[in-house]
Amino acid sequence: MQALLSSDQIQSRVRTLAQEIKADHPDGVHFVCVLKGAFMFMSDLARAMDGEVTLDFMALSSYGSGTKSSGQVQVLKDLGTSIEGRDVVIIEDIVDTGLTLIYLQEILLARSPRTLRTACLLSKPARRKVNVKVEYIGFTIEDKFVVGYGLDYAERYRNLPYIGVVTS
Ligand code: IMP
Ligand code: MG
């Protein structure tokens, strides 16, 4: 495993993102965490936020055990509460082709939140297939498959406190 972003780098960036999100949502915010990859990002972000934070979880189908996006997205677990009239921020681990996010934004917008914004810890612009709007991006990275800090390869490495590139 080759480290790409250290735990300190991530924590420092997360604190800055929390301040930006707070500034844009003075009345509080409702996080929608996309499972499983964003669980660590959201928990650090939520702890770094002052002001009112509520949160919920959603699971979408993903890559399975491979490293290439199928472009097919399904809701595996839906939200437990309504987002109508709320100031919602989608919390996602990484925007790659953008297909997952654009689909998710569409379904959430149809539920009439007051505002809908998106925070992604990582962005791989080289692989983008659709022009998806992401207001908060932690780090822009090259086209490498990364793991750790919530991100997996075949369900492994999610627990790493840093982000690395699998070398073998
Ligand atoms: P997209 O629909 O291609 O943008 O894919 C987004 C999803 O694919 C993310 O939410 C991740 O779960 C997964 N993904 C994309 N790139 C990586 C990576 O480098 N490591 C781990 N998961 C990834
Ligand atoms: Mg994901």
Side-chain angles (χ1 to χ4, degrees):
M1 184 75 57
Q2 196 196 330
L4 185 67
L5 296 165
S6 70
S7 175
D8 284 352
Q9 282 176 288
I10 297 168
Q11 293 306 322
S12 147
R13 186 72 186 122
V14 164
R15 281 193 293 273
T16 306
L17 288 176
Q19 286 165 5
E20 287 177 28
I21 295 172
K22 164 74 182 168
D24 291 341
H25 303 85
D27 306 331
V29 68
H30 185 66
F31 284 163
V32 168
C33 174
V34 185
L35 293 172
K36 304 174 202 164
F39 85 98
M40 215 177 267
F41 179 38
M42 194 203 62
S43 85
D44 283 341
L45 205 51
R47 276 178 285 194
M49 293 277 301
D50 48 36
E52 195 176 299
V53 178
T54 54
L55 52 93
D56 205 346
F57 298 89
M58 199 157 178
L60 307 170
S61 62
S62 63
Y63 285 75
S65 56
T67 60
K68 289 264 152 40
S69 179
S70 64
Q72 287 180 329
V73 181
Q74 265 180 292
V75 176
L76 301 178
K77 181 211 175 295
D78 208 340
L79 298 175
T81 49
S82 167
I83 57 166
E84 191 178 340
R86 305 179 86 162
D87 294 308
V88 175
V89 178
I90 298 171
I91 311 294
E92 175 61 304
D93 52 2
I94 183 166
V95 50
D96 187 21
T97 65
L99 293 168
T100 308
L101 255 186
I102 209 147
Y103 173 80
L104 180 59
Q105 290 176 349
E106 194 181 305
I107 23 182
L108 295 187
L109 272 178
R111 299 179 186 185
S112 309
R114 187 164 78 142
T115 57
L116 181 68
R117 295 188 176 94
T118 302
C120 288
L121 179 69
L122 303 171
S123 172
K124 274 198 253 185
R127 288 179 28 98
R128 205 77 89 244
K129 286 187 181 155
V130 287
N131 184 17
V132 62
K133 195 167 171 194
V134 181
E135 284 80 2
Y136 314 101
I137 290 177
F139 302 91
T140 297
I141 61 168
E142 287 173 37
D143 183 12
K144 288 186 180 144
F145 196 82
V146 293
V147 297
Y149 197 70
L151 291 107
D152 74 307
Y153 175 67
E155 294 300 325
R156 294 172 62 199
Y157 310 116
R158 291 194 196 274
N159 60 308
L160 296 180
Y162 62 94
I163 294 198
V165 179
V166 186
T167 44
S168 57

